[in-house]
């Protein structure tokens, strides 16, 4: 018996596709919406191979209010998980208006669509980038947000603010904000993984592309930060762990156990790794050296950020299952076969 019909925006994207799999494996019915701006339709085949379910995808640009309204008029959802957004930090610095227009309008249109159908339940894909350069590590949900380091990060801060304001005005609209850290790796089956339409910009797929000979070298952006080896520190979380957290968050939202609205959770392993340490993990798992060089610092990058995940463990019952070697092992297996 289905637990409910869930809209997953950005459902053919990297995190979205893994979450679709996890939702299906936990007895939810799923409808995807994705305009393939940064994903590929073939991921639906991988989802079907894993789950045996062919998920319907609506090719809709959610930043278009008219198109979004038609989607909600033709479907009734019990809840939504909103991933659809532009996500490149570097690109957001050079194209800020595109990021504000896409990321904010799509959120407004999803909120409006859900509200028209009834009270509404929404899990919002936020980011650790909202913390900026935090004064203390690890960051908790109570850590103050600092000045955003990029337009991308600012769209996530503004998205959170929109939901805080909207839930205050409409208490029957329930939301969860998931601030997650650096998703990486691929599904253990090897059927889906990170396969963006645009050239990869996240660290782990760039590493595996260099390892596979698809790129000549990896540039480490800065080795003069105040960290243990001079490179930036991040909290890398396996995408399958992250996907399962979204399922647990949705169940939490639907059970009316939340004591705050919106509810807020950090999602990370709780351990910071430097860029160079992630490179070493790849070299260990793949048993080969990686060609990389050191470049200048990249605009928009924070020095270090990693999570205190105790609240998610306590309230959602979420426990990460995979470590950095698992991340690199699954990412490398995916890279070799894709």
């Amino acid at each position: 018996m289905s637990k409910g019909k869930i809209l997953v925006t950005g459902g053919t994207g990297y995190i979205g596709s893994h979450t679709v799999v996890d939702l299906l494996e936990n007895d939810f019915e799923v409808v995807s919406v994705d305009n393939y701006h940064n994903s590929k339709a073939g991921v639906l085949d991988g989802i079907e191979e894993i789950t045996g379910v062919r998920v319907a995808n609506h090719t809709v640009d959610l930043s278009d209010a008219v198109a979004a309204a038609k989607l909600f008029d033709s479907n009734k959802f019990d809840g939504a998980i909103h991933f659809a957004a532009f996500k490149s930090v570097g690109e957001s610095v050079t194209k800020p208006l595109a990021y504000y227009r896409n990321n904010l309008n799509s959120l407004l249109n999803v909120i409006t669509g859900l509200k028209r159908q009834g009270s509404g339940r929404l899990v919002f894909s936020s980011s650790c980038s909202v913390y900026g350069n935090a004064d203390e590590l690890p960051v908790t949900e109570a850590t103050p947000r600092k000045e955003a380091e990029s337009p991308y990060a600012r769209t996530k801060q503004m998205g959170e603010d929109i939901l805080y304001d909207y839930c205050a005005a409409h208490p029957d609209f329930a939301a969860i904000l998931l601030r997650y850290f650096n998703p990486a790796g691929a599904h253990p089956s090897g059927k889906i993984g990170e396969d963006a339409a645009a050239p990869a910009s996240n660290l782990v797929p760039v590493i595996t592309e260099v390892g596979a000979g698809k790129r000549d070298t990896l540039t480490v952006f800065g080795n003069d930060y105040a960290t243990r080896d001079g490179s930036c520190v991040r909290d890398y979380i396996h995408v399958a762990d992250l996907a399962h957290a979204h399922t647990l968050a949705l169940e939490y939202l639907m059970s009316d156990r939340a004591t705050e609205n919106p509810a807020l959770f950090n999602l990370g392993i709780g351990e910071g790794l430097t860029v160079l340490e992630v490179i070493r993990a790849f070299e260990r798992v793949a048993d080969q050296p990686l060609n990389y060089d050191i470049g200048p610092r990249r605009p928009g990058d924070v020095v270090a950020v990693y999570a205190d995940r105790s609240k998610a463990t306590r309230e959602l019952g979420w426990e990460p299952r995979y470590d950095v070697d698992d991340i690199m092992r699954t990412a490398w297996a995916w890279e070799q076969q894709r």
Side-chain angles (χ1 to χ4, degrees):
M1 182 176 176
S2 171
K3 294 179 181 177
K5 184 176 181 180
I6 307 303
L7 174 67
V8 179
T9 78
T12 63
Y14 176 43
I15 306 171
S17 61
H18 287 79
T19 300
V20 168
V21 167
D22 201 85
L23 288 168
L24 292 170
E25 291 177 340
N26 285 276
D27 301 321
F28 285 96
E29 180 185 354
V30 177
V31 173
S32 169
V33 57
D34 201 310
N35 65 353
Y36 304 126
H37 172 81
N38 195 30
S39 64
K40 299 173 183 176
V43 74
L44 296 170
D45 298 329
I47 292 171
E48 186 174 15
E49 288 182 48
I50 296 168
T51 66
V53 177
R54 186 68 184 185
V55 171
N57 181 71
H58 296 266
T59 310
V60 172
D61 180 354
L62 288 170
S63 67
D64 180 334
V66 174
K70 288 180 180 178
L71 171 71
F72 285 96
D73 286 344
S74 61
N75 292 272
K76 179 70 170 70
F77 303 111
D78 296 298
I81 302 178
H82 183 51
F83 294 108
F86 294 165
K87 65 175 187 174
S88 170
V89 169
E91 183 183 60
S92 78
V93 173
T94 59
K95 299 179 179 179
L97 287 185
Y99 273 68
Y100 290 126
R101 184 178 299 113
N102 182 78
N103 293 6
L104 299 180
N105 285 340
S106 63
L107 173 60
L108 293 172
N109 292 336
V110 168
I111 293 171
T112 301
L114 288 173
K115 185 60 178 175
R116 285 172 59 187
Q117 294 189 349
S119 58
R121 301 183 186 95
L122 179 64
V123 178
F124 176 62
S125 168
S126 190
S127 165
C128 65
S129 63
V130 303
Y131 291 113
N133 277 304
D135 292 329
E136 295 182 359
L137 295 172
V139 294
T140 72
E141 289 81 1
T143 298
R145 297 186 327 189
K146 301 286 287 293
E147 178 70 18
E149 294 292 311
S150 67
Y152 162 75
R154 193 165 286 110
T155 68
K156 291 301 183 183
Q157 290 181 337
M158 294 170 74
E160 290 187 356
D161 292 343
I162 287 168
L163 283 166
Y164 274 112
D165 289 342
Y166 191 79
C167 290
H170 300 272
D172 59 339
F173 188 97
I176 287 184
L177 315 177
L178 297 182
R179 291 177 179 168
Y180 39 83
F181 286 66
N182 289 64
H187 193 272
S189 68
K191 303 294 185 183
I192 58 174
E194 191 160 7
D195 191 20
S201 59
N202 293 333
L203 177 63
V204 171
V206 173
I207 286 175
T208 59
E209 286 182 2
V210 173
K214 296 177 181 178
R215 299 183 186 221
D216 293 333
T217 188
L218 163 73
T219 298
V220 176
F221 295 106
N223 67 342
D224 57 350
Y225 288 102
T227 63
R228 52 185 170 269
D229 60 23
S231 62
C232 289
V233 172
R234 297 290 185 270
D235 185 333
Y236 294 90
I237 175 175
H238 195 285
V239 67
D241 282 331
L242 184 60
H244 188 55
H246 286 76
T247 300
L248 293 174
L250 188 63
E251 291 174 341
Y252 180 81
L253 201 59
M254 297 176 76
S255 71
D256 297 323
R257 286 183 287 139
T259 57
E260 55 183 343
N261 188 28
L264 171 63
F265 297 97
N266 282 337
L267 297 179
I269 290 179
E271 176 184 358
L273 296 170
T274 70
V275 173
L276 293 174
E277 287 168 344
V278 176
I279 290 173
R280 300 289 174 259
F282 169 80
E283 293 177 329
R284 185 166 60 245
V285 165
D287 193 27
Q288 68 179 59
L290 189 78
N291 188 30
Y292 69 92
D293 55 36
I294 305 297
R297 295 186 181 193
R298 181 172 57 179
D301 279 342
V302 300
V303 178
V305 63
Y306 54 96
D308 179 329
R309 61 174 175 84
S310 57
K311 184 181 177 185
T313 298
R314 182 175 65 252
E315 296 193 27
L316 301 181
W318 178 66
E319 291 282 355
R321 297 166 291 174
Y322 302 103
D323 62 17
V324 66
D325 281 13
D326 296 319
I327 287 172
M328 299 312 303
R329 187 177 298 109
T330 55
W332 182 229
W334 165 249
E335 183 64 60
Q336 290 176 298
Q337 66 84 34
R338 77 182 176 102

